[in-house]
Amino acid sequence: MIGFTQEKFVGQIVAKGKFSPSQVTPDWLQKYELIGAEDRAKLIDDASLVVTHRHSKYSVDWFSIDVIPEFLSIDTGNAFNDNVVDLICGVITLLHSSEVDTVAINFHAHYKASDEDLYNKIGHAIAPKDFWSRILSVDEKVEKIGLRSMRMDIEPRVENLGEDRMSRRITVEASNVVSNAIYLALSVEYRFSDSKTRVGFSDMVVEKIRELWGGGVDESVQIFEDILKQGSRDHV
């Protein structure tokens, strides 16, 4: 994209419900062929490996996993890939005793601006400097005023309280990872209704994860690029 370079892009899948962290171990993942022997060996030898009754956390190049009794999270690690979808779907399918109430697909990206003027223009477009200068009575003693973080929530109208719900959240921030960069995030959350039958429910969860991920990758990139284009459209 003209004026911006994508420096980092990460996908994350989160399932909220009831889980057994001590069950989701590297050995368990290899036993059911969700990871290979090489990945299992790397994980076992990693000093940062955590596996307890309350918390399991470990990572290799292509995924990072975090499990507590209330949620299971897997992200794409150092390199974006679609293999994490098969991994989390496999885990959910195997954990027959788990109950999932919500799944969320999150995409995070850092876009570095070609110069500082372009970087500042995004913040000024989203949070107009003139507006906030008047509100805050900014004078010559103030060195800088600028956007740090903004979130937009999109909640659909629900006709029936017993139906499933899907919401979106878009986040725009100054990146704390890359200099002169904009951090953009899209979170798509799907909440299953309380009345949903649990018979064959894990298959429904897996289907929904694949559906949200499949459409979410392209949607997130499109939204991120639209934000940057609209925010910088007057840049010369």
Side-chain angles (χ1 to χ4, degrees):
M1 181 179 177
I2 298 176
F4 290 94
T5 303
Q6 187 188 90
E7 295 285 325
K8 190 176 178 66
F9 188 86
V10 175
Q12 179 189 44
I13 306 171
V14 179
K16 301 176 184 178
K18 296 180 181 179
F19 300 95
S20 176
S22 60
Q23 184 176 356
V24 187
T25 67
D27 287 335
W28 186 79
L29 293 179
Q30 186 195 3
K31 176 182 177 181
Y32 290 101
E33 300 182 344
L34 295 177
I35 64 172
E38 184 178 348
D39 284 332
R40 181 261 179 196
K42 290 179 181 178
L43 291 168
I44 294 298
D45 292 339
D46 190 345
S48 65
L49 169 72
V50 175
V51 176
T52 70
H53 178 66
R54 295 288 303 174
H55 190 200
S56 287
K57 186 175 183 179
Y58 44 87
S59 64
V60 289
D61 288 342
W62 64 275
F63 80 87
S64 175
I65 189 167
D66 194 355
V67 191
I68 62 174
E70 295 80 21
F71 78 81
L72 162 68
S73 171
I74 296 179
D75 69 45
T76 56
N78 296 327
F80 185 83
N81 65 90
D82 292 320
N83 295 328
V84 292
V85 180
D86 292 332
L87 179 56
I88 194 168
C89 288
V91 171
I92 289 174
T93 299
L94 290 168
L95 293 177
H96 300 295
S97 60
S98 64
E99 295 183 8
V100 177
D101 302 312
T102 303
V103 294
I105 309 295
N106 306 315
F107 297 99
H108 312 266
H110 298 261
Y111 287 85
K112 185 176 180 62
S114 57
D115 59 68
E116 189 171 359
D117 287 342
L118 180 59
Y119 168 75
N120 289 329
K121 186 175 283 292
I122 301 299
H124 294 165
I126 295 173
K129 187 175 181 179
D130 291 343
F131 173 85
W132 287 105
S133 295
R134 291 192 298 270
I135 296 296
L136 301 175
S137 301
V138 174
D139 56 27
E140 66 277 1
K141 296 180 181 180
V142 175
E143 180 179 353
K144 183 172 67 172
I145 178 172
L147 174 73
R148 291 302 304 171
S149 179
M150 186 202 74
R151 292 180 179 178
M152 292 292 292
D153 289 336
I154 304 95
E155 293 275 357
R157 180 180 296 174
V158 177
E159 302 295 339
N160 185 347
L161 295 178
E163 66 186 33
D164 295 349
R165 299 187 183 190
M166 185 169 70
S167 61
R168 287 176 169 80
R169 169 173 289 177
I170 299 170
T171 302
V172 183
E173 296 180 352
S175 173
N176 60 6
V177 175
V178 181
S179 62
N180 271 1
I182 306 297
Y183 166 79
L184 298 168
L186 170 67
S187 177
V188 181
E189 185 175 271
Y190 192 93
R191 287 161 283 179
F192 296 98
S193 65
D194 292 337
S195 61
K196 188 71 68 177
T197 177
R198 297 293 171 176
V199 177
F201 187 63
S202 62
D203 292 337
M204 297 174 62
V205 173
V206 165
E207 182 181 352
K208 183 55 64 176
I209 288 174
R210 294 190 183 281
E211 175 189 327
L212 294 177
W213 181 274
V217 177
D218 291 339
E219 180 187 23
S220 64
V221 172
Q222 185 63 57
I223 288 174
F224 296 164
E225 291 186 352
D226 285 347
I227 290 172
L228 297 176
K229 287 177 182 177
Q230 291 296 321
S232 60
R233 62 184 183 277
D234 296 327
H235 181 70
V236 178

